[in-house]
Amino acid sequence: MRREIRPTARAVIALGDHLLLGRGEDEMFYNLPGGGIDRGEAPEQSLRRELGEELGRRITTLDFVMLYRNIYTKGEREIHERLHLFEATLLPVLVENPPMAREAWMRFEWVPVAELMLRDVRPAPLVALLVSMVAY
């Protein structure tokens, strides 16, 4: 199995008691908005770029929460993800339901915090943290 190191930056974006989650149109699991960090790019820069590409929104506040190390397999690869987690506020605020993605292969959804444990959110060990961040 080939090992791959993948730095990512993802955002916790809440609206009331709902959390914004995204997924690829052919995926059954959800992720926080964001994505891969390009070579030479800082995590904050990457997240600003990714959210602009995915949602067409500008980040107004961005606060670092934690660095999370996640290992998973994808096909014949063992992915070692270094996930930089941020709390973010967007401008303009996303109020449409469902939120409109700018990339055709992406789908976004406002998910009530009470339903997070019922969804396949990855990485799964972060779900309890996400619930505590959005619920209070």
Side-chain angles (χ1 to χ4, degrees):
M1 187 169 291
R2 193 181 78 190
R3 181 179 170 193
E4 180 181 317
I5 296 174
R6 180 169 164 73
T8 62
R10 299 210 174 264
V12 175
I13 302 169
L15 184 60
D17 65 346
H18 287 65
L19 182 66
L20 185 64
L21 295 177
R23 63 185 176 89
E25 64 183 356
D26 61 339
E27 296 174 334
M28 299 305 293
F29 62 90
Y30 293 86
N31 275 307
L32 293 168
I37 299 172
D38 291 340
R39 183 166 295 209
E41 195 174 42
E44 297 86 352
Q45 291 173 307
S46 170
L47 194 53
R48 290 179 190 282
R49 175 184 52 75
E50 287 282 350
L51 294 181
E53 290 172 1
E54 293 175 356
L55 295 164
R57 298 299 204 274
R58 188 172 50 87
I59 296 174
T60 57
T61 62
L62 189 61
D63 296 311
F64 181 73
V65 175
M66 67 182 295
L67 176 64
Y68 180 78
R69 296 182 188 276
N70 183 35
I71 299 173
Y72 61 95
T73 57
K74 188 172 186 176
E76 295 297 315
R77 299 174 296 161
E78 181 180 79
I79 310 293
H80 290 247
E81 180 182 30
R82 290 179 294 190
L83 190 156
H84 298 78
L85 185 63
F86 293 87
E87 195 166 12
T89 305
L90 302 180
L91 187 68
V93 176
L94 287 166
V95 293
E96 64 266 13
N97 194 15
M100 300 305 295
R102 291 184 69 195
E103 296 177 312
W105 59 273
M106 288 290 302
R107 301 288 178 264
F108 288 98
E109 219 180 297
W110 286 112
V111 177
V113 170
E115 293 181 17
L116 282 180
M117 297 292 195
L118 305 174
R119 306 283 178 110
D120 184 3
V121 179
R122 298 185 187 176
L126 287 183
V127 172
L129 172 67
L130 297 174
V131 168
S132 71
M133 288 176 69
V134 177
Y136 301 102

